[in-house]
PDB file of all heavy atoms in Angstrom:
ATOM      1  N   ILE C  26      34.059 -52.304 143.821  1.00 91.00           N
ATOM      2  CA  ILE C  26      33.405 -53.406 143.087  1.00 91.00           C
ATOM      3  C   ILE C  26      32.051 -52.872 142.583  1.00 91.00           C
ATOM      4  O   ILE C  26      31.299 -52.247 143.344  1.00 91.00           O
ATOM      5  CB  ILE C  26      33.198 -54.633 143.964  1.00 91.00           C
ATOM      6  CG1 ILE C  26      34.560 -55.291 144.200  1.00 91.00           C
ATOM      7  CG2 ILE C  26      32.356 -55.661 143.281  1.00 91.00           C
ATOM      8  CD1 ILE C  26      34.594 -56.385 145.180  1.00 91.00           C
ATOM      9  N   SER C  27      31.727 -53.159 141.280  1.00 89.00           N
ATOM     10  CA  SER C  27      30.531 -52.701 140.708  1.00 89.00           C
ATOM     11  C   SER C  27      29.285 -53.190 141.555  1.00 89.00           C
ATOM     12  O   SER C  27      29.216 -54.444 141.846  1.00 89.00           O
ATOM     13  CB  SER C  27      30.452 -53.206 139.312  1.00 89.00           C
ATOM     14  OG  SER C  27      29.221 -52.854 138.680  1.00 89.00           O
ATOM     15  N   GLY C  28      28.470 -52.260 141.801  1.00 85.00           N
ATOM     16  CA  GLY C  28      27.260 -52.566 142.611  1.00 85.00           C
ATOM     17  C   GLY C  28      27.388 -52.455 144.084  1.00 85.00           C
ATOM     18  O   GLY C  28      26.350 -52.484 144.824  1.00 85.00           O
ATOM     19  N   HIS C  29      28.611 -52.289 144.559  1.00 88.00           N
ATOM     20  CA  HIS C  29      28.810 -52.144 146.019  1.00 88.00           C
ATOM     21  C   HIS C  29      28.413 -50.684 146.392  1.00 88.00           C
ATOM     22  O   HIS C  29      28.958 -49.673 145.891  1.00 88.00           O
ATOM     23  CB  HIS C  29      30.276 -52.404 146.425  1.00 88.00           C
ATOM     24  CG  HIS C  29      30.633 -53.809 146.556  1.00 88.00           C
ATOM     25  ND1 HIS C  29      31.697 -54.270 147.230  1.00 88.00           N
ATOM     26  CD2 HIS C  29      29.900 -54.883 146.219  1.00 88.00           C
ATOM     27  CE1 HIS C  29      31.743 -55.542 147.233  1.00 88.00           C
ATOM     28  NE2 HIS C  29      30.617 -55.990 146.620  1.00 88.00           N
ATOM     29  N   THR C  30      27.458 -50.560 147.338  1.00 86.00           N
ATOM     30  CA  THR C  30      26.939 -49.267 147.693  1.00 86.00           C
ATOM     31  C   THR C  30      27.804 -48.621 148.787  1.00 86.00           C
ATOM     32  O   THR C  30      27.732 -47.397 148.958  1.00 86.00           O
ATOM     33  CB  THR C  30      25.517 -49.339 148.197  1.00 86.00           C
ATOM     34  OG1 THR C  30      25.491 -50.302 149.279  1.00 86.00           O
ATOM     35  CG2 THR C  30      24.614 -49.957 147.067  1.00 86.00           C
ATOM     36  N   ALA C  31      28.536 -49.392 149.573  1.00 88.00           N
ATOM     37  CA  ALA C  31      29.274 -48.840 150.728  1.00 88.00           C
ATOM     38  C   ALA C  31      30.714 -48.801 150.283  1.00 88.00           C
ATOM     39  O   ALA C  31      31.251 -49.713 149.771  1.00 88.00           O
ATOM     40  CB  ALA C  31      29.085 -49.683 151.934  1.00 88.00           C
ATOM     41  N   LEU C  32      31.372 -47.724 150.667  1.00 91.00           N
ATOM     42  CA  LEU C  32      32.781 -47.580 150.326  1.00 91.00           C
ATOM     43  C   LEU C  32      33.461 -46.879 151.610  1.00 91.00           C
ATOM     44  O   LEU C  32      32.903 -45.930 152.192  1.00 91.00           O
ATOM     45  CB  LEU C  32      32.989 -46.618 149.151  1.00 91.00           C
ATOM     46  CG  LEU C  32      34.406 -46.447 148.609  1.00 91.00           C
ATOM     47  CD1 LEU C  32      34.415 -46.321 147.073  1.00 91.00           C
ATOM     48  CD2 LEU C  32      35.194 -45.334 149.288  1.00 91.00           C
ATOM     49  N   TYR C  33      34.636 -47.405 151.979  1.00 91.00           N
ATOM     50  CA  TYR C  33      35.339 -46.954 153.163  1.00 91.00           C
ATOM     51  C   TYR C  33      36.767 -46.624 152.832  1.00 91.00           C
ATOM     52  O   TYR C  33      37.396 -47.234 151.930  1.00 91.00           O
ATOM     53  CB  TYR C  33      35.415 -48.084 154.229  1.00 91.00           C
ATOM     54  CG  TYR C  33      34.047 -48.619 154.644  1.00 91.00           C
ATOM     55  CD1 TYR C  33      33.433 -49.554 153.868  1.00 91.00           C
ATOM     56  CD2 TYR C  33      33.521 -48.246 155.848  1.00 91.00           C
ATOM     57  CE1 TYR C  33      32.115 -50.100 154.190  1.00 91.00           C
ATOM     58  CE2 TYR C  33      32.297 -48.783 156.267  1.00 91.00           C
ATOM     59  CZ  TYR C  33      31.659 -49.652 155.461  1.00 91.00           C
ATOM     60  OH  TYR C  33      30.422 -50.209 155.876  1.00 91.00           O
ATOM     61  N   TRP C  34      37.297 -45.650 153.507  1.00 94.00           N
ATOM     62  CA  TRP C  34      38.802 -45.420 153.438  1.00 94.00           C
ATOM     63  C   TRP C  34      39.358 -45.599 154.877  1.00 94.00           C
ATOM     64  O   TRP C  34      38.805 -45.196 155.861  1.00 94.00           O
ATOM     65  CB  TRP C  34      39.070 -43.956 153.047  1.00 94.00           C
ATOM     66  CG  TRP C  34      38.874 -43.651 151.616  1.00 94.00           C
ATOM     67  CD1 TRP C  34      37.807 -43.091 151.011  1.00 94.00           C
ATOM     68  CD2 TRP C  34      39.897 -43.849 150.632  1.00 94.00           C
ATOM     69  NE1 TRP C  34      38.045 -42.949 149.710  1.00 94.00           N
ATOM     70  CE2 TRP C  34      39.291 -43.404 149.370  1.00 94.00           C
ATOM     71  CE3 TRP C  34      41.148 -44.317 150.576  1.00 94.00           C
ATOM     72  CZ2 TRP C  34      39.943 -43.509 148.156  1.00 94.00           C
ATOM     73  CZ3 TRP C  34      41.841 -44.406 149.413  1.00 94.00           C
ATOM     74  CH2 TRP C  34      41.212 -43.939 148.123  1.00 94.00           C
TER      75      TRP C  34
END
Side-chain angles (χ1 to χ4, degrees):
Chain C
I26 292 174
S27 178
H29 279 196
T30 57
L32 186 148
Y33 303 80
W34 283 97

